[in-house]
Amino acid sequence: MIVLDKASKYYDAQAALKNVSFSIKKGELAFVTGPSGAGKTTLFKLLYLAETPDDGTITIAGFNTSNLKEATIPFLRRNIGVVFQDFKLLNNKTVFDNIALTLRIRGIMERETKERVHSVLKLVNLRHKSDKYPATLSGGEQQRITLARAIVGEPTVMLADEPTGNLDAENEDNIMKIFKYINNKGTTILIATHNRSLFTNTGKRVFYLDEGTLAKEEIA
Amino acid sequence: MFSVKMALQSILREKWINFLTMATLGVLLFIFFAILLVLYNVERLTSKIPSKLSSLVVLKDDASKEEIAAVESEAKRSKLVKTVDFISKEAAMEDLKKVFKSDDFILKGFGENPLFNSFEIKFKSDEDVKTSDIKALISKLKTHRAVDDVEFGQAQMESLSALKHGVRTIGVTLSTTFACAVVFISYTTVKILFYRRKEEIEIYKLLGATRGFIRLPFFLEGAIVGFCGGLSGAVMLQVLNKITLSKLTAEIPLFAVVNIPFTVFLLFPVIGLMLGLGGAVLAVGRVRY
Ligand SMILES: Nc1ncnc2c1ncn2[C@@H]1O[C@H](COP(=O)(O)OP(=O)(O)O)[C@@H](O)[C@H]1O
Ligand SMILES: [Mg+2]
């Protein structure tokens, strides 16, 4: 489902990602970890094509990103649900509209949109905040909205960048339960985190990044 | 459908900038339409004038029938000519008699008919009937032995066509300038709105929005603003037309010939729409991923 082959990304001659190769199978749940600045976010940007690799090839959800036409990029992104580290929520839209955007962009009918948005809001336990604006909510709540927005499109691959960065331990557990739930329904998930407690004793694969290189891979 | 909603929302949310743009476009388009109408009326009036132009070919008294026929066929062969009528000196006399009616003793005093045989040539009113061509034909006719002289309102025709040409040049230049100004203002407005929503658009792209989805609301916005501008310009023109023209016509009857076809008022908002849309298309440009 995700294959990286010697992928590299440079920012002004400075390597943010160097020669990284790994592959993740369909339906797998895996983690990427490493200290801040290790290149986790850069790796995700390459995967959802916000950046293009300077070297190597990337395949995701059946698309080879190196010879992709620009017009195909939106359709690739519809297969990928991203929980952005910086949320990327629209402050002039309500929680409902922020999540609904994913579906409206695809031309899905309002009735179906409403149903699906309400069901993911219930999943992240924010149904009562449906008409609020993101800026009026806590960091943890905004993070869960971002998660809900990634889930609502029913992606085949989900990329979550520090999805528990703003959460307390109890909320962290709830979020991980949601990931396990959608993973069980077949979604391939890659989670980037510097928080070891998320993956210890899960039996899942963990990729350790350090200064842009893949330092080691182990089963937690 | 969502795009249409977004365009309308954006127009409402940014109502001041959009309103100002509509008003500016309205004024610009008003001037633009006024120029177009001046052009239209000048064209319309002057295109009728050549048909009113006619030329009188005065024939020599001693010309033979064959010689006269040669002149007639030469004139008839020309593409410029609509009709060629032979007016015998007897017929000319009859006409004159009608003019003088009871006072025909004046004419009787002449004894012999002092008038001459002639051809009256009427020219076509086509666009491509040029003064220079008519001049060429006339000098050709003058070479015939049967022809004594040709009378033709050449000077008037030349100054008229110069005027027409001048009005056309100025009108086309001005209207092109104003059309460009309209496109430019629509361009600037849409560009500003586009940049204001840059962040939002980036998020749309990341969520999988296609180019069309991103661009459509801006195109609609440009088109709607242009349409409203065109509509208000047309209304201003109609108001001006009703108030001023009726007064002017009372003072100077010449203005009665000014004609504003009503269908034009339906056409103007469409022109506004096209120009507004053009500006928006230029402003949004290529959306890159
Ligand atoms: N847009 C950018 N321009 C320049 N350098 C960048 C940019 N994005 C990331 N970097 C650099 O790349 C490295 C990896 O960053 P990042 O992928 O954000 O790390 P992480 O998400 O693991 O904290 C860092 O040294 C960072 O400064
Ligand atoms: Mg990061």
Side-chain angles (χ1 to χ4, degrees), chain A residues 164-179:
Chain A
T164 59
N166 288 283
L167 300 178
D168 50 57
E170 191 195 333
N171 265 315
E172 224 173 79
D173 271 2
N174 289 332
I175 294 286
M176 286 315 291
K177 274 189 196 132
I178 293 167
F179 279 124

Side-chain angles (χ1 to χ4, degrees), chain A residues 31-35 162 164 172 176 191-204 206-209 215-216 218 220:
Chain A
F31 293 88
V32 178
T33 192
E162 306 281 2
T164 59
E172 224 173 79
M176 286 315 291
I191 300 172
T193 182
H194 60 262
N195 182 355
R196 288 167 170 272
S197 68
L198 283 192
F199 51 79
T200 38
N201 298 320
T202 52
K204 303 294 183 192
V206 182
F207 301 96
Y208 287 85
L209 279 181
K216 62 172 175 174
E218 61 175 30

Side-chain angles (χ1 to χ4, degrees), chain A residues 48 50 70-71 73-75 77-78 84 88-90 92-93 98 101-102 104-106 110 149, chain B residues 2 5-6 9 13 199-211 213 286-289:
Chain A
Y48 61 78
E70 251 188 75
I73 292 176
F75 299 98
R77 288 184 180 158
R78 290 177 190 189
F84 301 98
K88 298 197 193 295
L89 293 171
L90 291 165
N92 58 0
K93 288 191 192 301
N98 264 283
L101 196 56
T102 312
R104 286 173 175 161
I105 276 171
R106 302 171 196 199
E110 270 313 288
R149 185 181 60 187
Chain B
F2 185 61
K5 218 173 116 192
M6 280 207 324
Q9 270 174 358
R13 194 169 48 201
E199 218 188 320
E200 197 171 337
I201 289 164
E202 285 310 311
I203 293 174
Y204 280 32
K205 286 190 209 164
L206 290 176
L207 294 181
T210 56
R211 260 187 206 134
F213 184 88
R286 261 175 67 79
V287 171
R288 301 205 61 101
Y289 284 93

Side-chain angles (χ1 to χ4, degrees), chain A residues 27-48:
Chain A
E28 195 178 345
L29 170 66
F31 293 88
V32 178
T33 192
S36 158
K40 304 182 290 296
T41 300
T42 305
L43 169 68
F44 277 16
K45 281 184 179 165
L46 293 180
L47 292 177
Y48 61 78

Side-chain angles (χ1 to χ4, degrees), chain B residues 100-266:
Chain B
F100 286 100
K101 280 184 200 142
S102 53
D103 304 322
D104 63 350
F105 61 90
I106 299 170
L107 299 174
K108 278 182 189 137
F110 283 117
E112 202 190 334
N113 187 341
L115 297 176
F116 37 78
N117 292 324
S118 63
F119 281 118
E120 192 189 11
I121 299 177
K122 287 207 171 96
F123 296 104
K124 284 182 186 160
S125 58
D126 289 29
E127 262 304 291
D128 36 63
V129 174
K130 290 195 205 87
T131 323
S132 55
D133 294 338
I134 292 177
K135 250 159 84 182
L137 176 68
I138 285 167
S139 47
K140 231 184 195 171
L141 289 176
K142 274 184 182 165
T143 61
H144 283 260
R145 210 200 66 81
V147 174
D148 192 19
D149 195 12
V150 183
E151 284 163 19
F152 173 59
Q154 182 186 316
Q156 293 94 309
M157 176 107 177
E158 265 169 8
S159 63
L160 187 80
S161 94
L163 175 79
K164 187 170 158 180
H165 190 75
V167 169
R168 197 188 281 172
T169 310
I170 295 169
V172 168
T173 312
L174 278 180
S175 57
T176 311
T177 310
F178 275 96
C180 288
V182 168
V183 171
F184 179 73
I185 286 178
S186 159
Y187 169 89
T188 327
T189 307
V190 173
K191 199 91 185 166
I192 289 170
L193 295 178
F194 192 75
Y195 272 109
R196 259 197 210 174
R197 293 179 51 196
K198 195 113 194 119
E199 218 188 320
E200 197 171 337
I201 289 164
E202 285 310 311
I203 293 174
Y204 280 32
K205 286 190 209 164
L206 290 176
L207 294 181
T210 56
R211 260 187 206 134
F213 184 88
I214 290 165
R215 289 156 69 160
L216 192 61
F218 294 99
F219 290 175
L220 282 175
E221 199 156 341
I224 291 170
V225 169
F227 182 85
C228 293
L231 196 66
S232 53
V235 168
M236 280 189 254
L237 198 66
Q238 181 68 293
V239 169
L240 183 90
N241 173 30
K242 281 269 143 59
I243 295 171
T244 341
L245 217 53
S246 56
K247 274 186 191 155
L248 270 178
T249 310
E251 301 273 331
I252 313 163
L254 177 68
F255 278 92
V257 298
V258 173
N259 177 338
I260 302 178
F262 188 73
T263 44
V264 153
F265 288 100
L266 304 176

Side-chain angles (χ1 to χ4, degrees), chain B residues 57-74:
Chain B
V57 179
V58 180
L59 299 168
K60 284 180 186 148
D61 251 356
D62 61 349
S64 70
K65 266 206 175 101
E66 290 75 28
E67 284 167 337
I68 293 172
V71 175
E72 185 173 10
S73 66
E74 165 99 55

